[in-house]
Amino acid sequence: MTDRTTYETRRGEGGETHQVTGASAGKQGHGTLTSNQGIPVSDNQNSLKSGRRGPTLLEDFVLREKIFHFDHERIPERIVHARGSAAHGYFELTHSLSDVTSADLFQRVGDKVPVFVRFSTVAGGAGSVDTPRDVRGFAVKFYTREGNWDLVGNNIPVFFIQDAIKFPDLIHAVKMEADRAFPQAASAHGTFWDFASLMPETTHMLMWAMSDRAIPRSLRTMQGFGIHTFRFVNSEGKSTFVKFHWTPKLGVQSTVWDEALKLQSADNDFHRRDLWEAIASGNFPEWELGVQLFDEEFAASLPYDVLDATKIIPEELLPVKPVGRLVLDRNPDNFFAETEQVAYCPANIVPGIDFTNDPLLQGRLFSYLDTQKSRLGTANFHQLPINAPKCPMHNFQRDGMMQMAVPKGRANYEPNSLDQANEESGPRECPAMGFRSFDQQTGKEEQGDKLRVRAELFADHYSQARLFWKSLTASEQAHVASAFVFELSKVEFQHVPPRMIANLLNVDKRLGERVAEGLGIDLPDANPCAREPLELEPSPALSIQKNMLETLEGRKIGILIADGTDAAMLDQVTAAVRAAGATAFLVAPKVGSVKLSSGEAIAADGQLAGSPSVLFDALAILLDEKATKKMLSEAAAIQWVMDGFGHLKAIGHTQASLPLLQKAGIEPDEGITGLDAHFLKAAAMRFWEREPKLRSLA
């Protein structure tokens, strides 16, 4: 076995982790991180910038080569956001922004611009399922009169990392592990949490990812965010900072974890089918576009940096101004030709919209265009003999067409601590030998030196994570804590969960204690903070439960019927459900023909065993005594009721069907009703107070 790399750990000015080799000058060894040309790398944490907060420079060949190679690692599907669903529609301006931007689509109220919107999961492949715990992509292509503008964002307003140079490491860590190709579409495994626990800047995003935001009920009930701070420029050349927000008309809705798991087995295409069927039936999904507008003075007054993609500006501090609406009204004609081949690029902007020096955004500006080329050629041209370096070459770049090397082990990212599990951990940056750019100003227009550093306020990794935590309800906090417990329980590295908990203690002491208790491990000491967290005011807008719309619009009610069901009551319930804007879906033991009390025979929409209650937002049980007696020996019926109750949904029932509820272990509460107006009111909400009675939460 080869000698393992020896390194020491240092902290950069932004609190980032540097794992550094001790190679002496002139002795480049196996453990030294290099480019594909064998050039030693001095800093693998920060891209090269013109000034501390200046733009990222294209001359940074380390960044360019690293992302260039990463962009070509998978053929032919996208490396991330591979599984997507999309639709056509339009954007209609409702409030002019002509005072702050010259962009044509924001000038005249009532103007409509065609759009194509693609939603996606991040971690899984194109053939994975719709409903794992994951970030969701929310990409909008505006076909304006001045050209295409791509607003490429997510359903979470922050991101895991602060600098694009860390994106390949992040995705390598969260994807299937390199030596075993599992798990698929999941972050609940060792390498992701190893990486995350070594990167404090991930903490705020992790709070969102472990919340119910990462298990949405529908693509139609997700928010969308541009993530970065962008810039508007008006006709007079004046600049205004802007952050973009999409808010669904139906309100933000999520599932509960057990429900999300069962949806994966009930319908792998649940979100894709839901979007398609909503549009096909004329229930066009709609979002409101809002903007947060501010100037340099406001940005400077904040205790965090607006160029930091791991931060938000709470709506209570800077309200979101509604400016337009997005409507999706047409499904694609061909999935491959449209949804699969659409190419988004954040660099596609129109006059009146511009970039900022956000280092994550700067890296995305040339990465995406290069990604679209990945199906046409190879990134491994450097392995051809004529191009191959004659000196040692070691890095974490992997795979791609015509890959001739055979890397071993799972060390394809850093920082990592795989050596603590007696595994090879790979090379590290070498300040003593690594390439350094000429750091003085070389032009009149440049300001400041060329530096690989982070701005001072980027070192605060916990204030907004704490803000998010404090903004949640007790139920949502229990979901977050339980999600950490579940995910960390899948990590086989014994040294990683304590390190992650040590980070969480900087968010909230009780959160760390709950996760440690849930895992059954001793509570570690809190990790040192690069910058002491601030006590920010909670932002109620961040909570799903505090802002949940009590409405049936756009939802689906499962109605269990059988031979003997009261025809008049069925008509009354279905009419009331439809009048409230919901879909009534009839479920029966036999789908072909159900004979009602009136003697009429009707067809059900779905068969009981194939229509589990996870597909519905509320349940109605319309059984008479005879049908109920039969259902008492039907496991599918008992599970149907049990899951609805366990997923905190309303259940309306006839008096005759009460024995079925009792056999399913249902304890009466406000969500268990008759089939009158109380049921419709209950069906519009979830009953979070029920959950502690049903399952152990951290």
Side-chain angles (χ1 to χ4, degrees), residues 50-51 438-450:
S50 177
F438 184 69
D439 62 1
Q440 298 179 18
Q441 298 180 30
T442 57
K444 294 181 181 179
E445 303 304 319
E446 290 186 12
Q447 297 184 9
D449 297 332
K450 295 176 183 176

Side-chain angles (χ1 to χ4, degrees), residues 545-587:
Q545 292 184 19
K546 292 177 184 177
N547 297 282
M548 187 169 289
L549 296 180
E550 293 186 4
T551 176
L552 283 178
E553 186 177 352
R555 304 190 188 180
K556 184 180 287 187
I557 310 301
I559 303 175
L560 181 60
I561 62 174
D563 290 345
T565 288
D566 187 300
M569 180 178 292
L570 177 60
D571 287 343
Q572 181 181 351
V573 171
T574 55
V577 166
R578 290 165 181 157
T583 299
F585 190 97
L586 303 183
V587 179

Side-chain angles (χ1 to χ4, degrees), residues 28 48 80 91 120 124 180 185 191 245 300 320-321 332 359 430 439 452 462 514 525 571 649 651 654:
Q28 178 176 326
L48 186 67
V80 290
F91 171 77
S120 54
R180 60 205 66 187
T191 56
H245 299 247
V320 176
K321 176 183 178 181
C430 182
D439 62 1
R452 289 186 181 272
Y462 300 111
R514 289 164 73 170
D525 294 331
D571 287 343
K649 298 171 184 177
I651 302 176
T654 60

Side-chain angles (χ1 to χ4, degrees), residues 142-400:
F142 299 81
Y143 299 93
T144 84
R145 288 186 286 189
E146 296 178 309
N148 289 354
W149 172 38
D150 292 347
L151 183 56
V152 190
N154 289 331
N155 72 325
I156 291 176
V158 291
F159 202 63
F160 291 98
I161 53 175
Q162 297 173 322
D163 194 306
I165 200 170
K166 298 309 297 174
F167 191 72
D169 295 303
L170 166 67
I171 301 303
H172 280 160
V174 76
K175 280 281 193 175
M176 299 179 294
E177 296 194 359
D179 59 348
R180 60 205 66 187
F182 62 81
Q184 167 73 280
S187 56
H189 61 95
T191 56
F192 173 72
W193 287 98
D194 179 32
F195 176 80
S197 65
L198 287 164
M199 299 287 288
E201 70 201 65
T202 64
T203 309
H204 188 196
M205 179 67 164
L206 287 171
M207 300 300 292
W208 288 78
M210 293 301 106
S211 79
D212 295 345
R213 299 270 180 168
I215 44 175
R217 179 64 183 171
S218 166
L219 301 175
R220 300 178 291 132
T221 59
M222 295 193 317
Q223 283 184 287
F225 303 91
I227 302 173
H228 308 287
T229 297
F230 290 85
R231 193 185 301 275
F232 274 155
V233 181
N234 68 10
S235 57
E236 298 173 358
K238 181 182 177 182
S239 167
T240 303
F241 286 135
V242 58
K243 295 181 82 73
F244 297 101
H245 299 247
W246 296 108
T247 302
K249 179 183 178 182
L250 299 179
V252 181
Q253 301 291 334
S254 66
T255 58
V256 293
W257 178 234
D258 185 67
E259 182 181 15
L261 292 176
K262 288 177 177 175
L263 277 169
Q264 293 182 33
S265 60
D267 188 353
N268 290 344
D269 308 298
F270 181 74
H271 285 160
R272 181 174 290 176
R273 191 187 313 277
D274 174 79
L275 179 66
W276 181 280
E277 290 180 348
I279 295 173
S281 65
N283 295 318
F284 301 143
E286 183 173 333
W287 287 261
E288 178 186 80
L289 176 63
V291 294
Q292 287 180 303
L293 302 171
F294 56 104
D295 56 19
E296 290 273 4
E297 182 178 355
F298 178 85
S301 72
L302 298 173
Y304 39 85
D305 199 320
V306 299
L307 302 184
D308 181 354
T310 69
K311 306 294 191 295
I312 63 167
I313 302 176
E315 296 178 32
E316 292 76 10
L317 187 62
L318 182 63
V320 176
K321 176 183 178 181
V323 298
R325 69 188 189 110
L326 169 69
V327 178
L328 301 182
D329 60 2
R330 182 165 65 89
N331 284 312
D333 293 318
N334 183 276
F335 182 89
F336 178 81
E338 297 174 277
T339 305
E340 192 61 20
Q341 292 195 137
V342 65
Y344 294 93
C345 180
N348 293 343
I349 58 171
V350 294
I353 303 173
D354 206 346
F355 313 119
T356 60
N357 291 338
D358 175 337
L360 181 61
L361 173 60
Q362 289 284 322
R364 295 178 71 199
L365 296 182
F366 68 90
S367 169
Y368 277 63
L369 182 62
D370 191 59
T371 296
Q372 313 312 333
K373 180 181 175 291
S374 65
R375 299 172 185 179
L376 303 177
T378 175
N380 288 319
F381 63 89
H382 63 279
Q383 294 187 12
L384 297 174
I386 193 64
N387 296 321
K390 301 297 188 286
C391 59
M393 188 275 287
H394 311 289
N395 55 41
F396 294 105
Q397 296 166 20
R398 293 290 186 269
D399 307 340

Side-chain angles (χ1 to χ4, degrees), residues 404-652:
M404 289 176 279
V406 185
K408 297 180 180 179
R410 48 181 159 176
N412 62 352
Y413 64 97
E414 68 88 25
N416 73 65
S417 59
L418 296 176
D419 57 317
Q420 295 182 40
N422 202 35
E423 297 184 21
E424 178 63 56
S425 66
R428 296 296 189 275
E429 63 191 41
C430 182
M433 295 182 58
F435 175 88
R436 292 184 182 275
S437 299
F438 184 69
D439 62 1
Q440 298 179 18
Q441 298 180 30
T442 57
K444 294 181 181 179
E445 303 304 319
E446 290 186 12
Q447 297 184 9
D449 297 332
K450 295 176 183 176
L451 307 168
R452 289 186 181 272
V453 296
R454 302 192 188 185
E456 181 181 358
L457 290 178
F458 277 49
D460 177 4
H461 304 308
Y462 300 111
S463 295
Q464 291 213 349
R466 183 179 296 177
L467 160 67
F468 181 77
W469 173 258
K470 293 193 303 182
S471 301
L472 303 181
T473 65
S475 172
E476 290 173 310
Q477 289 181 342
H479 291 172
V480 170
S482 298
F484 275 113
V485 170
F486 173 81
E487 300 251 341
L488 291 173
S489 72
K490 300 295 184 180
V491 176
E492 75 274 26
F493 304 131
Q494 293 185 4
H495 65 281
V496 170
R499 192 169 64 210
M500 192 63 232
I501 292 169
N503 287 345
L504 294 179
L505 289 170
N506 292 320
V507 178
D508 182 83
K509 185 173 185 293
R510 184 57 189 143
L511 170 60
E513 292 172 344
R514 289 164 73 170
V515 176
E517 291 168 3
L519 292 171
I521 63 176
D522 294 335
L523 187 70
D525 294 331
N527 276 338
C529 299
R531 189 177 181 87
E532 283 302 311
L534 303 172
E535 289 297 337
L536 304 175
E537 286 297 316
S539 172
L542 304 182
S543 167
I544 292 179
Q545 292 184 19
K546 292 177 184 177
N547 297 282
M548 187 169 289
L549 296 180
E550 293 186 4
T551 176
L552 283 178
E553 186 177 352
R555 304 190 188 180
K556 184 180 287 187
I557 310 301
I559 303 175
L560 181 60
I561 62 174
D563 290 345
T565 288
D566 187 300
M569 180 178 292
L570 177 60
D571 287 343
Q572 181 181 351
V573 171
T574 55
V577 166
R578 290 165 181 157
T583 299
F585 190 97
L586 303 183
V587 179
K590 296 180 180 180
V591 72
S593 177
V594 178
K595 192 171 184 179
L596 303 179
S597 62
S598 62
E600 178 189 3
I602 65 171
D605 299 308
Q607 195 261 345
L608 177 59
S611 303
S613 60
V614 293
L615 300 175
F616 312 114
D617 296 288
L619 310 179
I621 304 173
L622 277 69
L623 304 177
D624 63 8
E625 290 184 11
K626 184 177 179 181
T628 298
K629 188 174 182 180
K630 285 186 177 181
M631 293 293 188
L632 292 178
S633 58
E634 281 287 346
I638 297 169
Q639 192 67 47
W640 201 81
V641 179
M642 188 183 299
D643 279 347
F645 187 72
H647 297 154
L648 318 180
K649 298 171 184 177
I651 302 176

